[in-house]
Amino acid sequence: MLLQAQMGFLEFVQDQFLQFINYTSFANFTIGHIAMIIIGCIFIFLGIKKEYEPLLLVPIGFGMLIGNIPFFPGLKIGIYEDGSVLHYLYHGVQNGWYPPLIFLGIGAMTDFSALLSNPKLMWIGAAAQFGIFGAYTAALALGFAPNEAGAIGIIGGADGPTAIFISSQLAPELMGAIAVSAYSYMALVPVIQPPIMKLLTTKKERLIRMKPPRQVSKTEKIMFPIIGLLLTCMIVPSGIPLLGMLFFGNLLKESGVTKRLATEASNSIINICTILIGLTVGCSTQATTFLTAKSIGIFFLGAFSFIVATTFGVLFVKLMNLFLKEGNKINPLIGNSGVSAVPDAARVSNSVGLEYDKTNYLLMHAMGPNVSGVIGSAVAAGILLAFLK
């Protein structure tokens, strides 16, 4: 009798232990989880060691670690499980809440003086948006549905919040791959762009000196977000969520009477949203749902769109110079900054220019097309939404 009781107790303990093992991550690991954890560690390394967009790559990389710790289904802890905390935080990505708030902060931080002092630089930002439509066409050719192709194409604008916003509207099932791809290429601006810029320009072109930007009045700065909102949103009303918040944030900054609001928008609000968007996007790369042929294709299309955007930006400056008088020519090295990775793309323009002339500072000039690219990517997103949603 005692022996039977002992055997029953041992079987109970064994069953409980096996059940415990089944609930641990070790029993649910797959090769995909390991691969995504390694990628997450690489993101964290690039953010900390190389300082490639650390505010983006560190949260996304850590989110990948969280999202790829496997668990027994039904515990309500995964980002795709109803009722979990991560699932509720992910609503801000799925429903497009975070991107407009980030655009509010961007507007409150951005000085459009470089663009206002030389308005023709706006066309460089517009030219760089060809990367969006180039990737859209390539995605269609590869068999993606029109709405999916539109969401993928926006990666070419190098604008993470816009990519998340438009994918939440057009292709929610691809949002994780699109967001990670967009932020990855934003972080790799200093690696991808310089070789393209050097390949497409001559030494003489790289040494072009541009006239110092003129002083922009306070009235111009105040009127710009008002006129900019009316012009862009009258043409593309579907861009109101992003463009409206961008120009509103800029008005808070430039009005001079709402400093407290501008400070909150450019600090607390954008920082909180950046943390939440980065972490939850990283968590959404759960290997069981993320590692698909479509995801891999999106990464390749993202690289293609980014290369096209940089190429068109540089070549468009070269085309403009054919019609500009000597002394008014534009250094084509700022053509890369038409993508909306602010201010990293402008810094790349400046650093490449300094390689050939240590006294030729291009940063202020490059900021013109750079901030124009932010507006351009939001307008392009609005156009895609108008046609595809």
Side-chain angles (χ1 to χ4, degrees):
M1 190 74 176
L2 180 61
L3 183 60
Q4 287 179 339
Q6 290 175 336
M7 290 295 293
F9 176 73
L10 289 174
E11 287 179 4
F12 173 77
V13 171
Q14 184 179 12
D15 290 342
Q16 291 297 306
F17 180 73
L18 290 175
Q19 185 177 352
F20 169 74
I21 293 296
N22 287 332
Y23 271 84
T24 66
S25 295
F26 301 106
N28 297 282
F29 252 115
T30 66
I31 297 295
H33 289 117
I34 296 172
M36 293 308 303
I37 286 174
I38 291 172
I39 293 172
C41 290
I42 293 172
F43 272 44
I44 294 171
F45 170 80
L46 292 174
I48 296 175
K49 182 68 176 177
K50 299 295 184 179
E51 296 188 15
Y52 291 163
E53 289 282 0
L55 299 182
L56 299 175
L57 290 194
V58 172
I60 291 175
F62 200 81
M64 287 180 173
L65 302 187
I66 294 174
N68 285 282
I69 297 175
F71 55 88
F72 193 84
L75 296 178
K76 291 188 177 181
I77 56 175
I79 196 165
Y80 295 113
E81 291 190 310
D82 289 335
S84 75
V85 173
L86 287 174
H87 182 71
Y88 287 125
L89 293 176
Y90 195 49
H91 278 317
V93 176
Q94 289 178 310
N95 298 305
W97 303 337
Y98 299 146
L101 292 174
I102 289 178
F103 262 66
L104 174 69
I106 292 173
M109 291 190 295
T110 302
D111 185 353
F112 287 97
S113 296
L115 179 61
L116 292 172
S117 67
N118 193 357
K120 64 176 174 286
L121 297 179
M122 172 183 66
W123 296 108
I124 303 173
Q129 306 313 311
F130 274 99
I132 293 175
F133 297 102
Y136 170 70
T137 304
L140 286 176
L142 290 176
F144 285 92
N147 61 314
E148 294 175 336
I152 293 167
I154 208 70
I155 298 171
D159 189 336
T162 302
I164 289 173
F165 179 78
I166 195 169
S167 59
S168 71
Q169 304 294 313
L170 296 179
E173 70 282 0
L174 301 180
M175 189 187 305
I178 290 171
V180 171
S181 181
Y183 280 121
S184 298
Y185 293 121
M186 283 176 65
L188 293 174
V189 161
V191 177
I192 297 173
Q193 288 194 322
I196 301 171
M197 296 159 63
K198 294 174 183 178
L199 178 67
L200 297 175
T201 56
T202 65
K203 185 176 180 180
K204 182 181 178 181
E205 289 173 326
R206 297 173 205 140
L207 295 174
I208 292 175
R209 284 181 172 270
M210 298 174 65
K211 290 181 178 179
R214 70 173 179 85
Q215 190 71 28
V216 178
S217 68
K218 183 177 179 179
T219 302
E220 287 178 280
K221 292 182 179 181
I222 293 174
M223 292 302 297
F224 175 73
I226 298 171
I227 296 173
L229 171 71
L230 295 176
L231 285 178
T232 56
C233 292
M234 287 287 188
I235 298 170
V236 190
S238 49
I240 287 174
L242 297 179
L243 291 167
M245 295 299 269
L246 176 74
F247 287 123
F248 175 54
N250 190 244
L251 182 62
L252 293 179
K253 173 183 180 294
E254 301 297 353
S255 67
V257 295
T258 52
K259 290 183 179 179
R260 191 175 70 183
L261 300 182
T263 299
E264 288 302 311
S266 60
N267 288 282
S268 303
I269 292 176
I270 195 170
N271 288 339
I272 291 170
C273 289
T274 299
I275 290 171
L276 293 177
I277 207 169
L279 191 69
T280 53
V281 163
C283 289
S284 72
T285 64
Q286 206 168 284
T288 50
T289 57
F290 182 78
L291 285 179
T292 64
K294 279 190 174 182
S295 297
I296 296 170
I298 287 169
F299 274 95
F300 283 107
L301 284 169
F304 170 74
S305 65
F306 202 79
I307 292 169
V308 171
T310 305
T311 300
F312 267 87
V314 174
L315 292 180
F316 187 78
V317 175
K318 291 164 70 79
L319 177 64
M320 288 178 68
N321 282 341
L322 296 177
F323 303 95
L324 295 175
K325 295 179 180 178
E326 201 65 40
N328 289 326
K329 293 189 182 295
I330 301 171
N331 192 313
L333 288 179
I334 73 170
N336 74 295
S337 60
V339 300
S340 60
V342 181
D344 289 331
R347 288 173 181 163
V348 170
S349 304
N350 189 61
S351 62
V352 175
L354 291 175
E355 288 181 25
Y356 297 92
D357 182 349
K358 295 190 180 298
T359 63
N360 191 12
Y361 293 94
L362 297 173
L363 183 61
M364 281 307 298
H365 302 291
M367 283 303 297
N370 207 186
V371 297
S372 175
V374 176
I375 300 172
S377 65
V379 169
I383 293 172
L384 291 170
L385 282 175
F387 280 98
L388 299 175
K389 189 173 181 181

